Amino acid sequence: QGFADLLPSVIDRALDRTALVKENIAVRTAIREGRDHLVEMVEERTNELRMVTDNLPILIAHLDTEQHFLFINKTAELWFNRSADEILGRTIMDVLGDTAHETFMSSLDGVLAGQPLTAEKSVAYPDGVTRDVEISYIPDIGLDGAVKGIFAMVTDIGPRKAAETALRDNERKFHDFADTASDWFWEMDADLRFTYLSESIEEALQQPRPRSLGRTRGEVFADDIAAATPDEQDKWRRHFSDLEARRPFQNFEYSLTF
């Protein structure tokens, strides 16, 4: 065969190779564009996560199993009194010192074994503030089922505890006042059962207050209601109706038998 006879087959093979090269280039381009798009999506989601976590009033951190910080939010930077660059890659002991390290480590064994944990502690932070905090630990479990780190969320519960203390103080002051007054004072729960009775009621009923606590008015005064006149019993029924409807009442008069 002469060259002229072989030329068509040579051209066909060249065209096939050219098409294959173009196909390979197209595939590589698609892969590169897909990878670039994926990177952009990851960066976008990372930025969104950072925006959210940095604007939360709680401390958020991610640590590896050796207690090195892998991620912290803005609140952590403020409480630790250091920038993220000074914290990431360092351990709890490096950042917080021996005392705080012991405080946190006493709770981490179970978390490293895969068990979530919530605990309340008092911690002295590097910014000079000792905070009452609620710490929630969540194990970071890999696809193989092994724990590869810990997520920590720390909430300052100082304001809540202060409010609880103030509430207890106010309740104590109210009870102190009620116990010295001649009027009757009592408190009921949502089921209309007595949770508090002043001392004056104990004197009037001539029975210890604990016998009435946890009982309803109908149970405490059952004998008196049963011995009352029909008109008196009707007054009691209207009174119980007011209580169940959570309506205020006043000038409710009744007779007691001792």
Side-chain angles (χ1 to χ4, degrees):
Q1 283 184 322
F3 179 75
D5 295 329
L6 295 174
L7 184 59
S9 62
V10 171
I11 293 175
D12 288 342
R13 285 198 296 272
L15 290 174
D16 289 343
R17 289 179 179 177
T18 301
L20 182 60
V21 170
K22 289 182 177 179
E23 183 177 346
N24 287 338
I25 292 174
V27 170
R28 291 180 181 179
T29 301
I31 292 175
R32 183 175 63 254
E33 291 177 348
R35 181 189 62 198
D36 292 343
H37 180 62
L38 181 60
V39 170
E40 290 178 1
M41 288 181 60
V42 170
E43 290 179 348
E44 183 179 346
R45 296 296 180 268
T46 300
N47 290 334
E48 290 176 353
L49 176 62
R50 168 64 66 182
M51 182 179 299
V52 171
T53 57
D54 279 349
N55 285 279
L56 291 175
I58 64 175
L59 184 155
I60 299 175
H62 183 203
L63 302 94
D64 64 17
T65 55
E66 301 299 323
Q67 308 157 42
H68 295 94
F69 285 98
L70 304 177
F71 171 88
I72 60 168
N73 69 340
K74 184 63 68 176
T75 298
E77 292 186 64
L78 295 175
W79 289 12
F80 295 157
N81 200 31
R82 299 183 185 183
S83 67
D85 291 339
E86 297 175 289
I87 296 172
L88 297 180
R90 304 183 69 182
T91 66
I92 295 177
M93 181 178 291
D94 293 335
V95 176
L96 299 180
D98 292 343
T99 302
H101 175 261
E102 291 299 323
T103 299
F104 285 105
M105 282 307 298
S106 63
S107 305
L108 292 186
D109 289 342
V111 184
L112 291 172
Q115 299 297 321
L117 174 69
T118 297
E120 293 186 5
K121 298 180 181 295
S122 180
V123 182
Y125 284 88
D127 65 351
V129 179
T130 298
R131 295 179 174 88
D132 291 319
V133 295
E134 179 182 85
I135 308 173
S136 295
Y137 296 110
I138 303 172
D140 180 13
I141 301 176
L143 296 177
D144 59 356
V147 175
K148 60 180 183 178
I150 298 172
F151 294 103
M153 293 178 289
V154 187
T155 304
D156 184 353
I157 60 173
R160 188 194 77 192
K161 296 191 74 170
E164 291 172 349
T165 299
L167 178 60
R168 287 193 297 269
D169 288 343
N170 287 335
E171 289 179 344
R172 178 183 54 78
K173 292 176 182 177
F174 167 74
H175 291 167
D176 288 345
F177 165 76
D179 286 342
T180 58
S182 58
D183 292 328
W184 293 11
F185 291 89
W186 68 85
E187 294 175 353
M188 292 177 164
D189 61 16
D191 296 321
L192 301 178
R193 297 185 178 278
F194 288 111
T195 58
Y196 167 76
L197 296 164
S198 63
E199 289 184 2
S200 54
I201 294 181
E202 181 176 85
E203 296 171 0
L205 297 181
Q206 298 182 5
Q207 65 179 20
R209 283 179 290 178
R211 290 180 56 185
S212 299
L213 294 177
R215 303 172 67 191
T216 65
R217 284 174 66 81
E219 292 168 344
V220 172
F221 299 108
D223 293 340
D224 298 288
I225 296 172
T229 65
D231 288 342
E232 287 287 327
Q233 291 180 349
D234 186 56
K235 286 172 58 178
W236 276 104
R237 282 191 290 271
R238 292 197 301 271
H239 175 61
F240 291 144
S241 177
D242 287 336
L243 290 177
E244 291 171 0
R246 274 45 176 189
R247 290 189 294 264
F249 65 90
Q250 59 183 357
N251 299 327
F252 175 58
E253 298 180 3
Y254 54 92
S255 300
L256 297 178
T257 302
F258 298 103

